Amino acid sequence: MSQGLIHHIEIYVSDLKNSVEFWGWLLEELGYEPFQEWESGQSWKIGETYIVFVQTDEKFMDIPYHRCRIGLNHLAFHASSRQQVDDMTRKLKEKGVKILYTDKHPFAGGIKHYAVYFEDPDRIKVELVAP
C-alpha cells in the first residue's frame, strides 16, 4: 500500500541545464531512472516516487534560495551502505561538488549517523545516509 508515501517532489531551479546535469547523475547513481522531459523541466523516478526539476521563471529569480528560510531545508536519501557513502563522497569531490561539514564528515549528523552532506547548484543541501 502506498498511502502516505511521497508521490513526487517538484523543485524549481535557477538553471535547468546545470540542475539536470547535477541531479541526473546523482539520482541515476542512486537507482533512479529518467522519467519525464519537456522544455522547462525533467524528472527521475524510483519505484512509485519521482523528483521533478523545473526552470524558474525570470520574474521569480530576484530572491535566491536559502535553506535557512521558510521552506525546504534539505533532501536526504538512503544509501545502501557506508561504502556507498564513501564512494559517492569521492565521486562528488571529483566533480567539484561542495561537501559540507568536512570537519565532522562522515559523522556530522552524530556518531551513529554515517552520511555525506553536499549542495546542488542552487545550494540546496542534499544528504546521503548509510543504514
Side-chain angles (χ1 to χ4, degrees), residues 12-38:
Y12 276 55
V13 298
S14 65
D15 184 320
L16 183 63
K17 183 178 182 281
N18 284 344
S19 291
V20 162
E21 184 177 316
F22 174 88
W23 283 101
W25 168 81
L26 175 65
L27 293 172
E28 289 173 28
E29 285 278 325
L30 296 176
Y32 285 73
E33 296 182 0
F35 181 46
Q36 303 159 317
E37 184 175 354
W38 65 101

Short mmCIF file of all heavy atoms in Angstrom, two decimals, residues 12-38:
data_model
loop_
_atom_site.label_atom_id
_atom_site.label_comp_id
_atom_site.label_asym_id
_atom_site.label_seq_id
_atom_site.Cartn_x
_atom_site.Cartn_y
_atom_site.Cartn_z
N TYR A 12 11.84 23.94 -8.10
CA TYR A 12 12.14 24.97 -9.09
C TYR A 12 13.61 25.35 -8.97
O TYR A 12 14.12 25.49 -7.86
CB TYR A 12 11.22 26.18 -8.89
CG TYR A 12 9.89 26.00 -9.55
CD1 TYR A 12 9.09 24.89 -9.27
CD2 TYR A 12 9.43 26.91 -10.49
CE1 TYR A 12 7.88 24.70 -9.90
CE2 TYR A 12 8.20 26.73 -11.11
CZ TYR A 12 7.44 25.63 -10.83
OH TYR A 12 6.23 25.45 -11.46
N VAL A 13 14.29 25.48 -10.10
CA VAL A 13 15.73 25.71 -10.12
C VAL A 13 16.07 26.95 -10.93
O VAL A 13 15.29 27.39 -11.79
CB VAL A 13 16.46 24.48 -10.69
CG1 VAL A 13 16.23 23.26 -9.81
CG2 VAL A 13 16.04 24.18 -12.12
N SER A 14 17.25 27.52 -10.65
CA SER A 14 17.65 28.75 -11.34
C SER A 14 18.23 28.48 -12.73
O SER A 14 18.17 29.35 -13.60
CB SER A 14 18.67 29.52 -10.51
OG SER A 14 19.86 28.77 -10.37
N ASP A 15 18.80 27.32 -12.93
CA ASP A 15 19.41 26.98 -14.22
C ASP A 15 19.14 25.50 -14.49
O ASP A 15 19.85 24.63 -13.95
CB ASP A 15 20.91 27.26 -14.18
CG ASP A 15 21.61 27.02 -15.50
OD1 ASP A 15 21.28 26.03 -16.20
OD2 ASP A 15 22.49 27.81 -15.85
N LEU A 16 18.14 25.22 -15.29
CA LEU A 16 17.71 23.84 -15.53
C LEU A 16 18.84 22.98 -16.05
O LEU A 16 19.03 21.84 -15.59
CB LEU A 16 16.52 23.80 -16.48
CG LEU A 16 15.95 22.40 -16.75
CD1 LEU A 16 15.40 21.78 -15.48
CD2 LEU A 16 14.87 22.47 -17.82
N LYS A 17 19.64 23.49 -16.97
CA LYS A 17 20.73 22.70 -17.55
C LYS A 17 21.70 22.24 -16.46
O LYS A 17 22.05 21.06 -16.38
CB LYS A 17 21.47 23.51 -18.62
CG LYS A 17 22.57 22.76 -19.32
CD LYS A 17 23.21 23.63 -20.41
CE LYS A 17 24.29 22.89 -21.15
NZ LYS A 17 25.56 22.82 -20.42
N ASN A 18 22.14 23.16 -15.60
CA ASN A 18 23.06 22.80 -14.51
C ASN A 18 22.42 21.81 -13.55
O ASN A 18 23.07 20.86 -13.09
CB ASN A 18 23.50 24.05 -13.73
CG ASN A 18 24.52 24.85 -14.49
OD1 ASN A 18 25.13 24.40 -15.45
ND2 ASN A 18 24.71 26.09 -14.06
N SER A 19 21.16 22.03 -13.23
CA SER A 19 20.48 21.14 -12.28
C SER A 19 20.28 19.76 -12.86
O SER A 19 20.45 18.76 -12.16
CB SER A 19 19.14 21.75 -11.84
OG SER A 19 19.38 22.89 -11.05
N VAL A 20 19.92 19.67 -14.13
CA VAL A 20 19.73 18.37 -14.78
C VAL A 20 21.06 17.60 -14.81
O VAL A 20 21.10 16.41 -14.54
CB VAL A 20 19.14 18.55 -16.20
CG1 VAL A 20 19.34 17.30 -17.05
CG2 VAL A 20 17.67 18.92 -16.11
N GLU A 21 22.15 18.30 -15.09
CA GLU A 21 23.46 17.66 -15.10
C GLU A 21 23.80 17.12 -13.71
O GLU A 21 24.22 15.97 -13.56
CB GLU A 21 24.53 18.65 -15.56
CG GLU A 21 25.91 18.06 -15.69
CD GLU A 21 26.91 19.07 -16.21
OE1 GLU A 21 26.60 19.80 -17.17
OE2 GLU A 21 28.02 19.12 -15.64
N PHE A 22 23.61 17.93 -12.69
CA PHE A 22 23.92 17.52 -11.32
C PHE A 22 22.99 16.42 -10.83
O PHE A 22 23.43 15.36 -10.41
CB PHE A 22 23.82 18.74 -10.38
CG PHE A 22 23.99 18.40 -8.93
CD1 PHE A 22 25.24 18.36 -8.36
CD2 PHE A 22 22.89 18.11 -8.14
CE1 PHE A 22 25.41 18.05 -7.02
CE2 PHE A 22 23.04 17.78 -6.79
CZ PHE A 22 24.31 17.76 -6.23
N TRP A 23 21.70 16.68 -10.86
CA TRP A 23 20.72 15.75 -10.30
C TRP A 23 20.59 14.48 -11.13
O TRP A 23 20.37 13.41 -10.58
CB TRP A 23 19.37 16.43 -10.14
CG TRP A 23 19.33 17.33 -8.95
CD1 TRP A 23 19.44 18.70 -8.95
CD2 TRP A 23 19.18 16.95 -7.59
NE1 TRP A 23 19.36 19.18 -7.67
CE2 TRP A 23 19.19 18.13 -6.81
CE3 TRP A 23 19.02 15.72 -6.95
CZ2 TRP A 23 19.06 18.10 -5.43
CZ3 TRP A 23 18.89 15.70 -5.57
CH2 TRP A 23 18.91 16.89 -4.83
N GLY A 24 20.70 14.59 -12.44
CA GLY A 24 20.60 13.40 -13.28
C GLY A 24 21.67 12.39 -12.91
O GLY A 24 21.39 11.20 -12.70
N TRP A 25 22.90 12.86 -12.81
CA TRP A 25 24.00 11.98 -12.43
C TRP A 25 23.75 11.38 -11.05
O TRP A 25 23.85 10.17 -10.86
CB TRP A 25 25.32 12.76 -12.45
CG TRP A 25 26.42 11.99 -11.79
CD1 TRP A 25 27.16 10.99 -12.36
CD2 TRP A 25 26.86 12.10 -10.44
NE1 TRP A 25 28.05 10.49 -11.44
CE2 TRP A 25 27.89 11.15 -10.25
CE3 TRP A 25 26.50 12.90 -9.37
CZ2 TRP A 25 28.55 10.99 -9.05
CZ3 TRP A 25 27.16 12.75 -8.16
CH2 TRP A 25 28.17 11.80 -8.01
N LEU A 26 23.44 12.24 -10.07
CA LEU A 26 23.26 11.78 -8.70
C LEU A 26 22.12 10.77 -8.59
O LEU A 26 22.28 9.68 -8.03
CB LEU A 26 22.99 12.97 -7.77
CG LEU A 26 22.67 12.58 -6.32
CD1 LEU A 26 23.86 11.92 -5.66
CD2 LEU A 26 22.22 13.82 -5.55
N LEU A 27 20.97 11.12 -9.12
CA LEU A 27 19.80 10.24 -9.00
C LEU A 27 20.01 8.91 -9.71
O LEU A 27 19.61 7.86 -9.20
CB LEU A 27 18.54 10.95 -9.49
CG LEU A 27 18.10 12.13 -8.62
CD1 LEU A 27 16.96 12.89 -9.29
CD2 LEU A 27 17.73 11.70 -7.21
N GLU A 28 20.65 8.93 -10.86
CA GLU A 28 20.92 7.67 -11.56
C GLU A 28 21.92 6.82 -10.79
O GLU A 28 21.81 5.59 -10.77
CB GLU A 28 21.33 7.96 -13.00
CG GLU A 28 20.13 8.45 -13.81
CD GLU A 28 20.45 8.92 -15.22
OE1 GLU A 28 21.44 8.42 -15.81
OE2 GLU A 28 19.70 9.78 -15.72
N GLU A 29 22.88 7.44 -10.11
CA GLU A 29 23.79 6.70 -9.23
C GLU A 29 23.02 6.00 -8.12
O GLU A 29 23.42 4.94 -7.64
CB GLU A 29 24.83 7.64 -8.60
CG GLU A 29 25.92 8.08 -9.54
CD GLU A 29 27.04 7.06 -9.68
OE1 GLU A 29 27.36 6.37 -8.69
OE2 GLU A 29 27.59 6.96 -10.78
N LEU A 30 21.90 6.61 -7.68
CA LEU A 30 21.09 6.06 -6.59
C LEU A 30 20.00 5.12 -7.07
O LEU A 30 19.21 4.64 -6.26
CB LEU A 30 20.48 7.21 -5.78
CG LEU A 30 21.48 8.12 -5.06
CD1 LEU A 30 20.77 9.27 -4.38
CD2 LEU A 30 22.32 7.32 -4.06
N GLY A 31 19.93 4.87 -8.38
CA GLY A 31 18.97 3.91 -8.90
C GLY A 31 17.72 4.50 -9.54
O GLY A 31 16.83 3.76 -9.96
N TYR A 32 17.63 5.82 -9.62
CA TYR A 32 16.50 6.46 -10.30
C TYR A 32 16.69 6.32 -11.81
O TYR A 32 17.81 6.17 -12.29
CB TYR A 32 16.43 7.95 -9.97
CG TYR A 32 15.92 8.27 -8.60
CD1 TYR A 32 16.69 8.04 -7.46
CD2 TYR A 32 14.66 8.85 -8.42
CE1 TYR A 32 16.23 8.36 -6.20
CE2 TYR A 32 14.19 9.17 -7.15
CZ TYR A 32 14.99 8.92 -6.05
OH TYR A 32 14.54 9.24 -4.79
N GLU A 33 15.59 6.39 -12.53
CA GLU A 33 15.63 6.35 -13.99
C GLU A 33 14.98 7.61 -14.54
O GLU A 33 14.03 8.13 -13.95
CB GLU A 33 14.90 5.12 -14.51
CG GLU A 33 15.56 3.82 -14.08
CD GLU A 33 14.85 2.59 -14.63
OE1 GLU A 33 13.84 2.73 -15.34
OE2 GLU A 33 15.32 1.48 -14.32
N PRO A 34 15.46 8.10 -15.70
CA PRO A 34 14.80 9.25 -16.31
C PRO A 34 13.32 8.93 -16.50
O PRO A 34 12.95 7.80 -16.86
CB PRO A 34 15.52 9.39 -17.66
CG PRO A 34 16.86 8.76 -17.43
CD PRO A 34 16.61 7.63 -16.48
N PHE A 35 12.48 9.92 -16.27
CA PHE A 35 11.03 9.70 -16.30
C PHE A 35 10.33 10.61 -17.30
O PHE A 35 9.78 10.15 -18.27
CB PHE A 35 10.46 9.86 -14.90
CG PHE A 35 8.98 9.63 -14.77
CD1 PHE A 35 8.36 8.54 -15.34
CD2 PHE A 35 8.20 10.52 -14.05
CE1 PHE A 35 6.98 8.32 -15.21
CE2 PHE A 35 6.83 10.32 -13.90
CZ PHE A 35 6.23 9.22 -14.48
N GLN A 36 10.37 11.90 -17.07
CA GLN A 36 9.70 12.85 -17.96
C GLN A 36 10.69 13.93 -18.38
O GLN A 36 11.61 14.25 -17.64
CB GLN A 36 8.54 13.54 -17.23
CG GLN A 36 7.51 12.59 -16.67
CD GLN A 36 6.69 13.23 -15.56
OE1 GLN A 36 7.21 13.91 -14.68
NE2 GLN A 36 5.39 12.99 -15.58
N GLU A 37 10.46 14.49 -19.57
CA GLU A 37 11.31 15.60 -20.01
C GLU A 37 10.49 16.49 -20.93
O GLU A 37 9.76 16.02 -21.80
CB GLU A 37 12.53 15.05 -20.77
CG GLU A 37 13.50 16.11 -21.19
CD GLU A 37 14.76 15.56 -21.84
OE1 GLU A 37 14.93 14.32 -21.85
OE2 GLU A 37 15.54 16.37 -22.33
N TRP A 38 10.58 17.79 -20.68
CA TRP A 38 9.93 18.78 -21.53
C TRP A 38 10.80 20.03 -21.53
O TRP A 38 11.83 20.06 -20.84
CB TRP A 38 8.49 19.06 -21.07
CG TRP A 38 8.35 19.68 -19.71
CD1 TRP A 38 8.10 20.99 -19.43
CD2 TRP A 38 8.43 19.03 -18.45
NE1 TRP A 38 8.04 21.20 -18.08
CE2 TRP A 38 8.24 20.00 -17.44
CE3 TRP A 38 8.66 17.71 -18.05
CZ2 TRP A 38 8.28 19.71 -16.08
CZ3 TRP A 38 8.70 17.42 -16.69
CH2 TRP A 38 8.49 18.40 -15.73
#
